[in-house]
Amino acid sequence: LRVIHMMSEEEVQKLVSHWTQYCIEYIESGRQEKKKKIKLSDRVDIESHIGDKCPTCAEKMVPQSHIGKMPPGHLPEKHGITVEHIVPRVLGGDNRRLNLVAMCHRCNQCRNAIMNEVLPHIPTIRGSKLDKKVKVDFSRYIEWSIRTIHTPNSEKVDANLSDLFEKEKMEDESRRPRMIAKAERRAAKV
């Protein structure tokens, strides 16, 4: 079982500082998110983590039955392996291997939900000067996103955001049976 490289506090602080400044400038500039094209070698490396534990829920990651758009009647595997951008592309994150991590589908979706809950709707603020509160929210989210991967046991991981993440995972669990039933109804119509 491979372990994600845990970074020193100094390394994490440099990453947080770099990405916070970069993401704020990126959003204020109005630039659009980078394409999702991930190098094949990086995808292969991510896929090699099938059977490893997800870095944010400790469930074993399994292969995804489908890549790309799901056919009618199918849902992604709950713990199917995905490529997670530690700093999301919508915030200026890139496709370099250092910004990618293997993560189960559920945790990937829940992290996105936390970003959407904590940060303002990105399209409405893209290209405008961010006020101090929004900059603080960006900094907080980016630090949480980085720390939960590189120093998950640090007391500096934002406990409130981690609580929101756990709550989102529980809500996802309660929604899943309804989602499965809906997918089955859609498949029956095809």
Side-chain angles (χ1 to χ4, degrees), residues 24 27-29 125-132 134-135:
I24 289 169
I27 293 297
E28 289 180 340
S29 77
I125 62 171
R126 188 179 301 284
S128 59
K129 184 85 173 129
L130 303 180
D131 66 36
K132 187 174 182 161
V134 173
K135 288 180 180 180

Side-chain angles (χ1 to χ4, degrees), residues 14-73:
K14 282 182 182 176
L15 260 184
V16 168
S17 180
H18 163 76
W19 279 113
T20 299
Q21 180 180 353
Y22 180 84
C23 291
I24 289 169
E25 289 171 359
Y26 173 83
I27 293 297
E28 289 180 340
S29 77
R31 294 192 315 263
Q32 295 299 309
E33 72 183 72
K34 296 182 174 43
K35 293 182 181 174
K36 195 172 182 174
K37 184 116 173 103
I38 296 169
K39 290 191 322 191
L40 181 59
S41 60
D42 292 339
R43 280 200 179 277
V44 168
D45 185 37
I46 293 288
E47 297 262 330
S48 75
H49 290 271
I50 291 171
D52 291 355
K53 290 182 178 182
C54 174
T56 52
C57 76
E59 292 288 335
K60 282 190 177 182
M61 295 180 286
V62 299
Q64 281 288 11
S65 55
H66 298 288
I67 306 280
K69 189 174 179 185
M70 298 302 273

Side-chain angles (χ1 to χ4, degrees), residues 102-139:
M103 186 174 288
C104 80
H105 180 267
R106 180 185 68 176
C107 288
N108 188 323
Q109 296 295 82
C110 291
R111 284 169 66 93
N112 291 338
I114 298 309
M115 178 186 67
N116 291 328
E117 189 169 329
V118 172
L119 299 178
H121 187 60
I122 301 302
T124 64
I125 62 171
R126 188 179 301 284
S128 59
K129 184 85 173 129
L130 303 180
D131 66 36
K132 187 174 182 161
K133 184 203 177 304
V134 173
K135 288 180 180 180
V136 168
D137 290 342
F138 263 81
S139 177

Side-chain angles (χ1 to χ4, degrees), residues 70-74 182-190:
M70 298 302 273
H74 290 84
K182 186 176 178 180
E184 288 170 348
R185 285 192 302 275
R186 258 188 273 136
K189 291 179 183 177
V190 174

Side-chain angles (χ1 to χ4, degrees), residues 93-109:
D94 57 34
N95 294 316
R96 287 183 290 172
R97 185 62 184 95
L98 255 146
N99 192 43
L100 306 174
V101 66
M103 186 174 288
C104 80
H105 180 267
R106 180 185 68 176
C107 288
N108 188 323
Q109 296 295 82

Side-chain angles (χ1 to χ4, degrees), residues 3 6 11 17 20 22 77 80 95 103 124 156 166 171:
V3 177
M6 295 300 144
E11 290 172 313
S17 180
T20 299
Y22 180 84
E77 299 290 333
N95 294 316
M103 186 174 288
T124 64
K156 292 186 177 186
E166 292 303 319
E171 288 174 9

